DNA sequence: CGGCGATTTGATAAATGTCAAATCACGTGG
DNA sequence: CCACGTGATTTGACATTTATCAAATCGCCG
């Protein structure tokens, strides 16, 4: 049986058998969405959380003038709609970029997990911090870097996430986003995204063929993106013992 | 005895006596900083977390070109350097905007708390979500709103945070930031911040006198800021029982 | 072959940044 | 009490980045 949460958390620490069983139990149910399907709509009442089992999704908000800000791209093993742990209604819309399957789980399952498996609960606090730092990296990008940097940063971020799911991916990958979506994630217009992609190409940093991207000069791309490699600096040695 | 964490978390749920005692124990130690003092420097090794007891602080990152992005303003009861739960070195610098006192605590204290008080551990997960949503609100602001909106949003955010600490504060308050700091928080230059403040004044939304701000038309200000009121929509009924 | 969304390109406009200088505010030393 | 020094604010002129609008082209699916 595939175990999505255990796979994700298992990249951070070695899980005990008991912990794996508890995590698997959370993912029993399954709900599928076709491409473009809406899992959660902004302002709708939130009753469940989800684990993404297959496919990729994104979350976004719509501003009063109709413009869209994409907040996050979601991949296998990601927890979705965790804001439901706090807010009655969803602060964001979550839709499927590809055909997807999610496992819905009740908020009470998180409560039960906290009681039965303190280490996993503490690990959820830690995972929250990883995501918080990822958000602050993006915040600094939007606030203080050029359009070119932001587009480069998005390419690197997506490639890195795809690679953790599939280690055979190297410099070449399929982004799976339209230029409008890239713009909504980076705070730019689709037209300007197009120009920046071409500039990255002219700079010899990437090559393009349809939706396929190839990183030609990865260090150079990371430099123009002002990219911070965070993955290597992890330390979870403080966690309590497993049950 | 003042209890900073308990005060903060007590706004979210009713704490049990045992929980209060456990939280108080975390805050025994104290370290003071003068105005401008550095609590944590970006890239430095992180060994402790902190609870802010008195004063206000801010966290920021410096980009390769020397520009600064302020990530967060910190007030009494805020947890600081939580990234230390995950990363060996700090992703951000934290400095005191006023004279401050913090309580340092070990990461192992969080582990102990998770084991002894599952509800508090789950609550920390929830608090992480509150902060995540606050960050996504700012992300959408930086990506998709005008300079005027961003400045207005900052004024509202700071005023609201000051008011939860001191309910006597109404439309009038002391921001305690230079225009350069406002710019570094909103992704603008100090010069442009100045112009936007004047425009907000001309629009009849605010009045200024030195560092003192007064909200003249609060609904109008909230509208131009595209402000989302999140505080009222909380629901933590799913938490496990207290110990 | 037709249609439609996505991409590409050019011309122009709007928002914001940069640079420079004047003014203001306030604490310090004389 | 006053003069000065220093950082913050304010203002104007001009530059740059990015958005907007419009049109052409591309790619793919039915």
């Amino acid at each position: 049986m595939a175990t999505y949460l255990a796979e994700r958390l298992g990249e951070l620490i070695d899980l005990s058998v008991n912990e794996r069983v508890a995590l698997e139990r959370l993912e029993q149910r399954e709900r599928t969405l076709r491409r473009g399907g809406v899992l959660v709509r902004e302002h709708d009442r939130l009753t469940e959380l989800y684990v993404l089992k297959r496919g990729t999704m994104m979350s976004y908000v719509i501003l009063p003038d109709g413009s869209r800000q994409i907040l996050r791209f979601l991949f296998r093993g990601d927890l979705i709609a965790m804001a439901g742990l706090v807010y009655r209604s969803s602060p964001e819309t979550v839709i499927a970029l590809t055909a997807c399957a999610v496992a819905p789980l009740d908020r009470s399952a998180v409560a039960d997990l906290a009681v039965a498996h303190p280490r996993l609960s503490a690990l959820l606090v830690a995972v929250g911090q990883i995501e918080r730092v990822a958000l602050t990296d993006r915040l600094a990008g939007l606030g203080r870097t050029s359009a070119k940097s932001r587009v480069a940063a998005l390419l690197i971020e997506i490639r890195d996430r795809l690679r953790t799911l599939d280690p055979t991916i190297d410099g070449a990958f399929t982004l799976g986003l339209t230029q409008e979506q890239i713009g909504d994630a980076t705070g730019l217009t689709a037209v300007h995204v197009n120009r920046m992609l071409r500039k990255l190409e002219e700079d010899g940093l990437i090559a393009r063929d349809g939706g396929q991207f190839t990183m030609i000069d990865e260090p150079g791309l990371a430099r123009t993106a002002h990219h911070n490699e965070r993955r290597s600096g992890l330390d979870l040695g403080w966690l309590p013992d497993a049950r």
Side-chain angles (χ1 to χ4, degrees), chain A:
Chain A
M1 171 184 173
T3 60
Y4 306 91
L5 260 179
E7 184 181 303
R8 162 65 53 88
L9 300 180
E11 282 169 16
L12 298 173
I13 58 172
D14 291 326
L15 296 167
S16 73
V17 173
N18 283 339
E19 286 172 336
R20 278 180 190 281
V21 170
L23 290 172
E24 279 175 28
R25 206 168 284 153
L26 295 178
E27 304 171 332
Q28 298 287 331
R29 289 192 286 157
E30 180 165 312
R31 176 173 156 197
T32 60
L33 292 102
R34 65 190 64 190
R35 182 160 182 260
V38 177
L39 178 62
V40 172
R41 198 181 300 275
E42 193 176 350
H43 306 306
D44 273 6
R45 169 168 260 280
L46 278 172
T47 57
E48 313 175 296
L49 323 174
Y50 306 90
V51 178
L52 182 48
K53 291 173 148 186
R54 290 189 300 281
T56 70
M57 310 187 78
M58 69 175 182
S59 78
Y60 62 84
V61 294
I62 300 288
L63 302 213
D65 67 351
S67 64
R68 176 173 70 170
Q69 175 67 48
I70 294 177
L71 301 173
R72 206 176 161 209
F73 295 102
L74 299 154
F75 299 89
R76 168 154 49 90
D78 274 337
L79 283 160
I80 302 175
M82 289 282 281
L85 292 179
V86 182
Y87 296 105
R88 276 194 205 84
S89 66
S90 177
E92 66 199 25
T93 298
V94 183
I95 73 169
L97 289 171
T98 66
C100 285
V102 300
L105 48 116
D106 289 331
R107 289 177 292 191
S108 62
V110 177
D112 297 343
L113 199 70
V115 172
H117 293 282
R119 186 169 80 143
L120 292 180
S121 173
L123 186 57
L124 285 184
V125 175
V127 168
Q129 290 307 311
I130 292 175
E131 285 169 13
R132 196 183 72 79
V133 172
L135 273 174
T136 58
D137 283 344
R138 290 195 58 207
L139 198 74
L142 285 191
R144 288 298 188 209
T145 77
S146 69
K148 189 163 80 165
S149 292
R150 293 186 227 168
V151 172
L154 180 71
L155 293 178
I156 293 175
E157 186 193 328
I158 302 274
R159 199 283 306 261
D160 285 354
R161 295 224 53 190
L162 289 174
R163 190 158 59 173
T164 61
L165 298 183
D166 174 3
T168 68
I169 288 173
D170 58 348
F173 65 104
T174 303
L175 186 60
L177 299 176
T178 66
Q179 293 179 3
E180 188 179 9
Q181 289 167 338
I182 299 173
D184 286 345
T186 54
L188 302 168
T189 59
V191 172
H192 205 60
V193 167
N194 183 280
R195 294 193 240 262
M196 293 304 104
L197 286 173
R198 184 147 35 78
K199 197 169 283 187
L200 291 173
E201 205 170 15
E202 284 168 6
D203 291 352
L205 299 175
I206 63 172
R208 289 184 298 156
D209 178 28
Q212 274 280 326
F213 287 79
T214 307
M215 295 183 173
I216 302 293
D217 175 4
E218 210 171 309
L221 193 64
R223 236 176 296 119
T224 86
H226 307 313
H227 180 64
N228 287 311
E229 170 55 66
R230 302 278 184 205
R231 201 169 308 248
S232 59
L234 294 174
D235 174 15
L236 290 165
W238 58 275
L239 288 169
D241 290 337
R243 289 229 174 122

